[in-house]
Amino acid sequence: MGDLLIRPHRAPARVQLMDDPGPLGRFGEYGGRYVPESLIGACRQVEEAFRSAWADPAFRNQLAGLLATHVGRPTPLTPAVRLSAELGVTLLLKREDLTHTGSHKINNVIGQALLATRMGHKRLIAETGAGQHGVATATAAAMFGLSATVFMGERDIERQALNVFRMRMLGAEVVPVRTGARTLKDATSEAMRHWVGATEDSYYCMGSVLGPMPYPWMVREFQRVIGDEARRQCATALPTAVPDYVVACVGGGSNAAGTFAGFVDTTAKLVGVEAEGGAGASRGTLGVLHGVRSMFLQDDDGQVLEAHSIAAGLDYPGIGPEHVHLRDLGRARYVTVDDAEVVEAVVRLARTEGIVAALESAHAVAWVIRAAADGTLPAGSTVVLTLSGRGDKDISALKELL
Ligand SMILES: *Cc1c(COP(=O)(O)O)cnc(C)c1O
């Protein structure tokens, strides 16, 4: 009894998870702002502008309005009735696949484009791998009358011709990157290098919860609309109001971060599902890349390795710093699934629910299927799963596999 009375005074201040990481941008020992001197000022300006915008109800209302009129929010929380019955759990799908442009990336990009406009910039710079963040950036640029320059590895340009065409049709300039392995990692390095000489008139639009402060925090905040909506929808969809599990796929970690943010203060267990060949949280080691201290796939010399996944959107060799922090604290766990499980999951979801999910999103579905089968998910569990995108872009890849 005495203990109970004394403890509140002696306990350290309760740490609020998934909150403002402070001016240093630290999530535990991860995060930070490891950029060349010439970008420190530009990052500070973005941070100041975001702090002021995020505290400004007019900005928030304008963003919410755009998400409603242009993106199609709120997205539904769809009960996966037939798949649930087969698995013996209650599975609810948060349908980011139904957004304009077909994935959650648009939530973040519209937020950043609105911020860029507020800062007086006329041009967006972005990196892209498979081209999805590039397409979202080109879309937002067109909406706001901004120009967009998208850096893309030469190999990815060859592999993703359709998205390159989409970006150009939307009016964006696509710059081929010929260094290194000519994929996402190199495109990001090149885009940041380009920003150094263009900070006066250009805004860097980052595609995931990566990069220097304020990006990991800001991108999570722009994506938290997923988790906040799902949380409200659960209040009517579930008798318990809060699900037992919240599951999302993890590339850099933005759809997962946005989803987790809505549930981090509940009893829900948070699960991030990585690709076996791109597993930053599961198999990475501590390092610094693209301005942030986090976990990356590296060789013994600290050289960052190439990631490999059937899902191009999970082909990043690292993970956002906040996820590593949540993992260290035991608040979230990170698991991997392999390509074969993912392909099976796409087909199973298509045939039970009539939804063709993106290969990225199917990683989360694959884990739920496996976990329900092996008892990791107890029978009767309630699960919210973020379906980050639709599978149209993957049809030709799937055609070769099936
Ligand atoms: C880009 C992408 C991802 C991975 O990015 P995160 O930042 O981890 O969310 C996942 N799903 C889809 C559909 C994507 O386009």
Side-chain angles (χ1 to χ4, degrees), residues 103-105 132 207-208 249-255 313-314 358 360-361 388-389:
S103 88
H104 68 289
K105 289 209 169 67
Q132 303 190 81
S208 191
C249 69
V250 174
S254 68
N255 86 88
L314 306 186
E360 291 83 358
S361 323
S388 55

Side-chain angles (χ1 to χ4, degrees), residues 16 18-28 30-33 47 50-51 212-218 220 322:
Q16 195 76 40
M18 303 198 88
D19 204 345
D20 183 339
L24 297 177
R26 296 246 178 248
F27 305 94
Y30 313 103
R33 182 182 281 154
E47 181 190 343
F50 176 66
R51 281 187 189 287
M213 170 69 175
Y215 288 97
W217 168 49
M218 176 169 66
R220 177 249 283 163
E322 189 164 36

Side-chain angles (χ1 to χ4, degrees), residues 29-157:
E29 57 177 304
Y30 313 103
R33 182 182 281 154
Y34 297 87
V35 292
E37 193 66 32
S38 48
L39 282 185
I40 297 274
C43 288
R44 282 219 181 99
Q45 279 175 14
V46 175
E47 181 190 343
E48 272 169 34
F50 176 66
R51 281 187 189 287
S52 119
W54 214 225
D56 178 357
F59 180 88
R60 294 252 194 164
N61 284 337
Q62 198 182 353
L63 179 58
L66 288 166
L67 292 177
T69 56
H70 288 63
V71 174
R73 307 211 71 89
T75 59
L77 187 67
T78 303
V81 178
R82 295 203 329 117
L83 184 57
S84 292
E86 286 185 10
L87 299 178
V89 300
T90 298
L91 177 61
L92 301 168
L93 305 173
K94 182 60 176 160
R95 301 291 304 279
E96 296 306 293
D97 60 312
L98 294 179
T99 57
H100 177 46
T101 71
S103 88
H104 68 289
K105 289 209 169 67
I106 194 78
N107 304 323
N108 164 48
V109 157
I110 288 189
Q112 290 197 56
L114 191 60
L115 185 68
T117 304
R118 183 178 163 111
M119 293 173 75
H121 290 307
K122 297 277 181 272
R123 177 165 169 262
L124 304 178
I125 298 171
E127 79 291 340
T128 199
Q132 303 190 81
H133 174 58
V135 167
T137 301
T139 301
M143 279 172 58
F144 289 91
L146 305 169
S147 64
T149 306
V150 180
F151 289 80
M152 188 169 185
E154 210 170 41
R155 259 187 75 208
D156 289 332
I157 287 181

Side-chain angles (χ1 to χ4, degrees), residues 151-365:
F151 289 80
M152 188 169 185
E154 210 170 41
R155 259 187 75 208
D156 289 332
I157 287 181
E158 285 161 19
R159 292 188 291 188
Q160 306 288 339
L162 199 65
N163 273 343
V164 175
F165 178 75
R166 275 172 89 187
M167 285 186 265
R168 290 188 171 141
M169 196 171 70
L170 289 158
E173 178 194 8
V174 180
V175 180
V177 173
R178 301 192 169 88
T179 51
R182 298 172 293 138
T183 57
L184 176 59
K185 174 165 70 77
D186 315 291
T188 310
S189 305
E190 201 54 42
M192 292 185 80
R193 209 169 293 138
H194 176 80
W195 192 33
V196 171
T199 53
E200 280 301 307
D201 68 341
S202 301
Y203 176 92
Y204 194 104
C205 183
M206 180 71 70
S208 191
V209 284
L210 291 160
M213 170 69 175
Y215 288 97
W217 168 49
M218 176 169 66
V219 175
R220 177 249 283 163
E221 287 302 281
F222 284 141
Q223 292 292 4
R224 80 180 300 139
V225 66
I226 305 172
D228 287 347
E229 280 177 14
R231 174 84 175 270
R232 279 198 299 278
Q233 290 165 323
C234 280
T236 49
L238 292 173
T240 50
V242 170
D244 299 319
Y245 291 83
V246 173
V247 185
C249 69
V250 174
S254 68
N255 86 88
T259 305
F260 292 176
F263 294 93
V264 73
D265 62 338
T266 72
T267 53
K269 296 181 177 74
L270 311 178
V271 181
V273 186
E274 298 188 288
E276 204 146 81
S282 307
R283 293 198 288 108
T285 50
L286 192 60
V288 172
L289 182 69
H290 300 142
V292 65
R293 186 167 197 256
S294 193
M295 292 288 176
F296 300 96
L297 300 179
Q298 300 172 84
D299 66 16
D300 293 342
D301 297 325
Q303 285 291 104
V304 175
L305 301 167
E306 282 288 298
H308 292 289
S309 165
I310 191 176
L314 306 186
D315 248 354
Y316 187 79
I319 182 170
E322 189 164 36
H323 284 293
V324 191
H325 184 47
L326 290 173
R327 180 202 67 180
D328 285 2
L329 294 172
R331 181 62 192 94
R333 57 184 281 239
Y334 296 84
V335 296
T336 62
V337 294
D338 66 34
D339 289 355
E341 290 178 281
V342 170
V343 174
E344 263 177 52
V346 170
V347 174
R348 186 138 179 215
L349 186 70
R351 295 189 180 166
T352 51
E353 301 299 331
I355 297 169
V356 179
L359 287 169
E360 291 83 358
S361 323
H363 282 68
V365 179

